[in-house]
Amino acid sequence: MAALATECAGDQDHWWEFHDYYFEGPSRDAYTRDGAIAVAAEFGLDTDEFAQCVDDRAHLDRIYGQHTDAVANGLSSTPTIVVNGERGPTRADALIELVKDLAEG
């Protein structure tokens, strides 16, 4: 539900708010359909549009596809960053350095 709700929120330009909300470990209610809709209301989303997206499972194929790809590539945790086919650093400062090195090189 967290992934689906986040993607549906992204349809209304609120992907990062939902990502951050779920990443912080909300109450169990937030992982239900009604709980996700309540979160959408808190963030000011059009709850009818959001609920329709959740009910239609509009992004579920892409979510499952991403999961399948990650498992096939040996990735088992989040966040995991892959740069040029190799696991990259998970710390922001190390990632910034890696990107700078790639840009220069």
Side-chain angles (χ1 to χ4, degrees):
M1 179 55 67
L4 182 58
T6 300
E7 294 298 333
C8 289
D11 290 346
Q12 297 183 49
D13 299 323
H14 287 271
W15 193 94
W16 280 109
E17 290 94 329
F18 268 65
H19 168 275
D20 293 347
Y21 176 82
Y22 280 109
F23 205 77
E24 290 174 7
S27 71
R28 295 180 77 188
D29 292 341
Y31 295 96
T32 66
R33 175 193 181 274
D34 292 342
I37 292 169
V39 174
E42 288 178 31
F43 285 117
L45 278 70
D46 178 326
T47 54
D48 290 334
E49 179 182 333
F50 180 85
Q52 189 66 52
C53 179
V54 169
D55 292 344
D56 289 346
R57 300 176 183 262
H59 300 284
L60 208 52
D61 286 345
R62 187 162 59 85
I63 292 166
Y64 283 143
Q66 290 172 342
H67 175 75
T68 301
D69 290 346
V71 170
N73 286 294
L75 307 177
S76 61
S77 63
T78 59
T80 300
I81 298 167
V82 178
V83 179
N84 293 334
E86 300 291 326
R87 280 188 188 204
T90 56
R91 288 187 359 259
D93 58 333
L95 178 60
I96 290 167
E97 287 304 313
L98 175 63
V99 170
K100 285 180 183 177
D101 290 346
L102 290 171
E104 293 172 0

